[in-house]
Every structure is written in structure tokens, then in C-alpha cells.
Amino acid sequence: MLVADWGTSSLRIYLLDERGEIVTKRTSEKGILVAKTLGFEKTLELEAEGLLNDQRILLGGMIGSRNGWVETEYVDCPATLEEIANKLGTVTWRNQSGTSRTAKITPGVRFLGKNGMSDIMRGEELQILGLMQQITDEHATIVLPGTHSKWVSVINNTISEFRTYMTGEVFELLANWSILKSEARTEPFDNNVFLDGVKLGSTKNSLTNLIFQVRTQLISGKLQPSSCDSFLSGILIGNEISHEVRNQRLIHLVSNSKLSKLYSMALQYFNIESVTYDEDIFTKSAFHLLNQN
């Protein structure tokens, strides 16, 4: 079977064997923004050339959004793997040889909170559900660092609730388009300064006030230009974590990037242990979804 995590800017394709183990993995920068111009079916045929035959196909991620191949529904929390399997979308196409192919597309997950607050995800749910098949915790907190970080509460193999923090995107905007532009995004990364930022970010001051400390501490000479990005990153991540810390003793992180190391360091400041899992864990849930259809 063939499964793919098709996001906004990237595409990861996996060929799985009959046990769900990864046989081949391919990565591409042809996310849905590029593929929409080229054609989704053409993009998939090109990127999965030599892997496609008559096997079952499952596509997850932003490919199921309104900007994707076909818009699939949202499953409301509490959400289980079975409920997600019941709302898979379907696309059918013919390749250049006239062979007909069909693929299933996963739905997203939506959390309707209190006071009119709500949250959505597409793609992360497969990583969460895949991880749930690897851990035994009845009640677990799963964090997916990234452009839009997700904090997810899982109870008895069910996605109970989650919240999104635009931490990564805010960092990129501040580093590229704000008054901090000339100071941020420099190397090398300073772990000690990062933890200073985490400490400051965990205070109750307004986040926008805390962010300006990057500027003021640079001007006052307390912060070196080469450490501004470390400080800014610490402030944003520390502030994010401070809003989610309850009584957790262990956090499950799903990430391939250096972000997992930063979150692990920041969580240690809050006296919380963490375990990191590879993003490819989503293939575990994708395998089960295909076997249910």
C-alpha cells in the first residue's frame, strides 16, 4: 500500500509492506500549493513513479483542505481512529496509460471549546493516532512542535481536545518583517540564552511586552546580536509551554526537527520529562485506516 503526508509545502510518500513497515520513503517540495498548479494527479504520478500499481492509496494532511484535491469533513472531538475512518474522502483519476486509480483522503479533526473557542488540524491527527498505538498511557499529552504547534490531550486512545499555538509562524514573522529583523536569525544558537528566554517567557507579562525585550536588552548591551534568535525563540516557546503546564510529568513530542530539542530543553526548565518520536509514525495509523476500508 502507498500512503502520503501531503502538506502545504511538502510531500512525503511511503510504500508500506503487508505488515505496515516502511519499504520506501520519498520526500518532495511539491506541497499542495505547487501541486495545485501542476495538477494533483500528475504530481502524485510523477513523485510516486515506479511505486504505484494496483495497491490501496491513502493521502493525509492539507490535501484534504479546501485548497487541496478534495475537501473532506472534520471529525469533532472526542475523535477516534474508527470515526476518522468513517469520513474518508475519495478521488479517482486515470494516468497517462488510461489506468484508473483511486485514493482515500483523510478528514481533519475539530475541537469545539468553551466561550466560542475552536481549533482545527489536518495531518497531525495521523501522527497522534499513530503514536497512540505505540504508548500505553491512558491519559497522555502529545505536542507537535512546528509552524503551528499542537498540544493534544489523549484519553483512552481518543483525541479528547487540543490547542494550537502559532509559535513557529510568529517567530518567522518577527525575524523577517519586524524591528527585530536585523538581530534575529543569526548563528550559532546559544542554549543558555535560549533558556533565559524560556524563563522570561514563562512570566505573566504580556507576550508583546516580552518580545520587545529582545530589542531593549540588545540596545542595553545585555544581549549580543548573535544570540537574539536564541532569546526570541526561548521567549515564544516558554510562553507557549507556560499556558499548557498542568501536572504533567511526561510529554510526548512528535518532530524530526531541531525544534524537538528546543522543546525538550524548555520542558526541562518546567521539570517535565519528554520523549521524542519520528514524524513517520503517522504511517502506523495510515496502515490501520486502509485496512478498515
Side-chain angles (χ1 to χ4, degrees), residues 28-270:
S28 166
E29 295 182 354
K30 290 187 174 65
I32 66 167
L33 294 182
V34 174
K36 190 170 186 177
T37 301
L38 297 175
F40 294 112
E41 62 274 23
K42 182 178 180 180
T43 301
L44 184 59
E45 290 283 344
L46 289 173
E47 297 302 317
E49 185 177 5
L51 302 180
L52 288 167
N53 46 51
D54 60 350
Q55 79 272 62
R56 288 169 293 169
I57 302 170
L58 180 76
L59 310 176
M62 293 303 290
I63 191 65
S65 70
R66 64 182 56 184
N67 292 319
W69 200 335
V70 63
E71 185 174 9
T72 55
E73 299 180 57
Y74 283 102
V75 176
D76 288 327
C77 289
T80 64
L81 187 65
E82 291 73 22
E83 290 170 321
I84 290 175
N86 290 333
K87 289 194 175 182
L88 293 178
T90 303
V91 289
T92 302
W93 73 99
R94 290 186 180 276
N95 64 8
Q96 289 184 338
S97 301
T99 302
S100 178
R101 303 196 199 279
T102 298
K104 297 292 184 180
I105 298 183
T106 61
V109 175
R110 177 173 56 193
F111 172 60
L112 303 175
K114 299 178 180 178
N115 302 320
M117 297 287 286
S118 62
D119 224 315
I120 54 175
M121 68 167 75
R122 281 193 185 275
E124 295 95 345
E125 69 282 347
L126 290 184
Q127 295 173 341
I128 297 163
L129 294 166
L131 176 56
M132 285 159 48
Q133 298 175 44
Q134 305 295 306
I135 62 177
T136 58
D137 311 41
E138 290 185 2
H139 191 167
T141 299
I142 300 174
V143 179
L144 299 95
T147 303
H148 299 157
S149 297
K150 306 287 184 182
W151 284 73
V152 186
S153 177
V154 172
I155 301 176
N156 295 324
N157 291 323
T158 300
I159 300 176
S160 175
E161 60 180 84
F162 64 94
R163 280 163 296 281
T164 301
Y165 292 83
M166 294 178 64
T167 304
E169 184 166 1
V170 169
F171 179 86
E172 291 295 326
L173 290 171
L174 291 172
N176 289 300
W177 301 102
S178 78
I179 195 173
L180 307 179
K181 178 180 179 180
S182 60
E183 282 77 50
R185 307 302 295 275
T186 51
E187 296 291 345
F189 196 87
D190 191 319
N191 290 342
N192 291 325
V193 173
F194 169 76
L195 289 174
D196 288 340
V198 170
K199 181 178 180 180
L200 181 62
S202 66
T203 63
K204 295 183 179 180
N205 295 54
S206 166
L207 179 58
T208 52
N209 172 241
L210 295 174
I211 289 170
F212 196 68
Q213 293 304 301
V214 178
R215 181 69 175 170
T216 57
Q217 294 203 24
L218 175 71
I219 298 300
S220 66
K222 295 180 180 179
L223 186 66
Q224 297 300 312
S226 61
S227 298
C228 287
D229 63 336
S230 307
F231 194 49
L232 175 61
S233 180
I235 290 172
L236 294 173
I237 292 176
N239 187 264
E240 173 188 325
I241 293 175
S242 70
H243 284 85
E244 289 294 332
V245 169
R246 304 291 187 270
N247 298 311
Q248 301 100 322
R249 295 183 178 180
L250 177 66
I251 297 290
H252 300 277
L253 297 171
V254 181
S255 176
N256 284 340
S257 66
K258 69 176 184 179
L259 279 177
S260 60
K261 295 180 180 179
L262 297 183
Y263 274 74
S264 181
M265 278 196 296
L267 287 167
Q268 287 178 13
Y269 170 78
F270 290 91

